[in-house]
Amino acid sequence: MKFETKAIRTQTDRSQHHEHSTPIFATSSFVFDDAEHMRALFANEETGNIYSRFTNPSVREFELKMAALEEGENCIATSTGMAAIFATFASLLKSGDHLLMSRAVFGSTFKINDDYLAKWGIEYDYLNPLDMHQWESLVKPTTRLLYLETPSNPGLDIIDLKAASDFCRQHDILLVVDNCFATPYLQRPLTVGADISIHSATKYIDGQGRVMGGAIIASNEIIEQIYPFMKNAGPSLSPFNAWVLSKSLETLAIRMDRHCENARKVAQWLESRPEVSVVKYPFLPSNAGYETAIKQMKAGGGMISFELKGGLQAGVKMIDSRQMMSLSANLGDTRTIITHPASSTHSKLTPEQRHAAGISDGLIRLSVGLEHVTDIIDDLHLS
Ligand SMILES: *Cc1c(COP(=O)(O)O)cnc(C)c1O
């Protein structure tokens, strides 16, 4: 089946009521037929639902869809995107291991390293995602994971996933990709050799700014290593959120088509304006990552970042003169959202860390929504 069909037709078994649309299984636990049934389930001799921290049919449907769309064997859904990232690290890394991470990743991801991995004796180094020659020198005998984000938040750096996975194979490292900005509709890391694809489902997967969620997609072998953390530490996705996200996936393809079309038009318009010094959008031929982006992505996505010649002041003025766009920390919504990373999502980083992640004080991030593109452009007051 094609992507659009899988997004709609992947379903768990129907109940005796023959419902067409999957119900929300709002139940914390499940009942057993008798003592033997209960024993067999707890002993893993039979499959079945026990408790919703472990498994739940609404959650399972979302997981099956995500696995199908990412072309992976299996998926674990989590309560948020950060829970997916944390569960992956907590399950696959142990004291003495070394983690290599792109220096251009989501703000909270850095905090996991500094606040938790460090105190558990896990080492980490940041690499420049755009300089693969440097990667080699950072690999240690204990390096276990390479963690990347492409396109990155908020700089929209593009990393060659095929080259990264070849690099990881060569060094016997697992490649973990945060695929949040691209969604499985635009990019499927596992098909070019990545081992794990991670999502914040809060963004485009929900796509309407309603619920939080996350997903980890990988081989059965890797999922089996992460599942006990989910089951015992408990960052499980709620059945209601899973139901919302599963419904959202049915329209992911058509939503992404329009996000991409609107964003491309806005990016081209910004590039034509004298007030703008730099426009970062993966499918603009002027971008450094363009050749790689067109190779590994179906379209450029809905995110743009740009720099006003007037710097911080012009940026603040632009944000405060908006009439329609939302000033919000989220992204991947039907509504266009404008943010200023240096004063919000990345404010906890030091200026040096921000600079290393490619975030200048005047950088504006735009999550281009599904409003009419003319209205979006009309609301961008550049001077
Ligand atoms: C938002 C985001 C996350 C974290 O997801 P939450 O659902 O907010 O926990 C991780 N990576 C990227 C790229 C994000 O944009």
Side-chain angles (χ1 to χ4, degrees):
M1 284 196 274
K2 298 272 188 283
F3 187 94
E4 291 80 351
T5 317
K6 285 193 281 193
I8 292 168
R9 292 289 173 181
T10 305
Q11 296 177 326
T12 43
D13 294 341
R14 290 299 172 245
S15 77
Q16 78 266 31
H17 301 296
H18 303 290
E19 64 278 358
H20 191 197
S21 177
T22 311
I24 308 172
F25 287 90
T27 179
S28 42
S29 63
F30 301 83
V31 290
F32 312 105
D33 296 336
D34 48 34
E36 169 51 25
H37 182 213
M38 186 171 182
R39 189 206 58 80
L41 284 179
F42 273 90
N44 272 332
E45 289 168 15
E46 254 182 69
T47 52
N49 297 301
I50 296 176
Y51 190 59
S52 283
R53 171 152 44 80
F54 309 171
T55 56
N56 172 283
S58 302
V59 174
R60 192 59 192 150
E61 179 162 300
F62 173 63
E63 291 172 337
L64 291 174
K65 276 192 188 181
M66 286 302 292
L69 298 181
E70 284 273 344
E71 296 181 41
E73 280 179 357
N74 211 339
C75 168
I76 292 174
T78 54
S79 56
T80 64
M82 287 319 302
I85 296 168
F86 190 82
T88 301
F89 292 167
S91 306
L92 301 181
L93 296 171
K94 62 177 189 315
S95 182
D97 281 350
H98 177 241
L99 164 71
L100 265 181
M101 185 178 276
S102 162
R103 69 185 187 190
V105 295
F106 186 69
S108 300
T109 310
F110 291 109
K111 301 302 285 177
I112 291 185
N113 298 347
D114 296 343
D115 295 351
Y116 301 97
L117 301 192
K119 74 175 176 185
W120 293 334
I122 296 161
E123 287 188 300
Y124 49 89
D125 280 304
Y126 297 108
L127 51 77
N128 176 351
L130 304 179
D131 180 12
M132 277 196 74
H133 299 296
Q134 176 223 22
W135 296 12
E136 194 83 43
S137 64
L138 293 170
V139 175
K140 298 182 179 189
T142 50
T143 308
R144 175 110 170 91
L145 299 182
L146 171 59
Y147 183 93
L148 302 174
E149 206 175 293
T150 180
S152 69
N153 178 19
L156 295 160
D157 291 330
I158 301 293
I159 304 167
D160 187 327
L161 286 174
K162 178 72 178 62
S165 68
D166 289 348
F167 174 86
C168 287
R169 287 280 163 281
Q170 221 179 326
H171 293 90
D172 202 17
I173 301 170
L174 294 178
L175 176 59
V176 186
V177 179
D178 182 332
N179 200 28
C180 174
F181 270 32
T183 81
Y185 182 59
L186 302 180
Q187 173 174 283
R188 291 183 280 282
L190 303 184
T191 65
V192 290
D195 298 285
I196 301 174
S197 181
I198 288 191
H199 281 279
S200 165
T202 315
K203 313 295 168 55
Y204 289 105
I205 307 254
D206 170 46
Q208 290 144 88
R210 301 164 297 183
V211 302
M212 306 208 69
I216 305 162
I217 303 98
S219 65
N220 283 323
E221 191 194 332
I222 291 174
I223 291 295
E224 268 169 34
Q225 292 174 58
I226 303 174
Y227 179 65
F229 179 87
M230 277 303 304
K231 190 174 163 179
N232 300 316
S236 321
L237 183 63
S238 84
F240 176 77
N241 286 9
W243 178 83
V244 171
L245 294 169
S246 196
K247 284 278 153 208
S248 297
L249 283 176
E250 296 183 11
T251 56
L252 180 67
I254 54 172
R255 285 187 285 107
M256 289 315 292
D257 280 341
R258 183 60 68 84
H259 277 297
C260 293
E261 187 187 322
N262 280 358
R264 187 178 47 80
K265 287 178 182 161
V266 172
Q268 283 168 343
W269 178 80
L270 285 168
E271 201 168 42
S272 74
R273 299 287 307 197
E275 301 92 336
V276 177
S277 56
V278 183
V279 182
K280 293 208 183 156
Y281 183 67
F283 269 42
L284 279 183
S286 59
N287 277 218
Y290 174 72
E291 293 298 331
T292 307
I294 58 170
K295 192 179 73 176
Q296 67 192 23
M297 295 173 72
K298 183 184 170 81
M303 301 299 299
I304 300 173
S305 62
F306 62 97
E307 191 100 39
L308 291 167
K309 282 185 187 155
L312 185 59
Q313 244 180 342
V316 169
K317 198 170 153 215
M318 184 184 153
I319 283 177
D320 286 343
S321 60
R322 84 202 185 279
Q323 296 192 310
M324 176 189 79
M325 293 183 294
S326 312
L327 181 59
S328 168
N330 197 20
L331 64 95
D333 195 310
T334 52
R335 298 163 182 81
T336 296
I337 295 171
I338 190 165
T339 44
H340 180 222
S343 67
S344 58
T345 47
H346 289 69
S347 62
K348 288 191 187 67
L349 303 187
T350 64
E352 294 75 46
Q353 282 175 318
R354 271 203 295 276
H355 178 76
I359 299 158
S360 66
D361 285 350
L363 188 81
I364 301 279
R365 189 187 78 181
L366 207 58
S367 168
V368 179
L370 302 181
E371 303 98 337
H372 196 284
V373 69
T374 312
D375 292 324
I376 299 170
I377 291 173
D378 281 352
D379 204 28
L380 292 165
H381 307 288
L382 299 178
S383 54

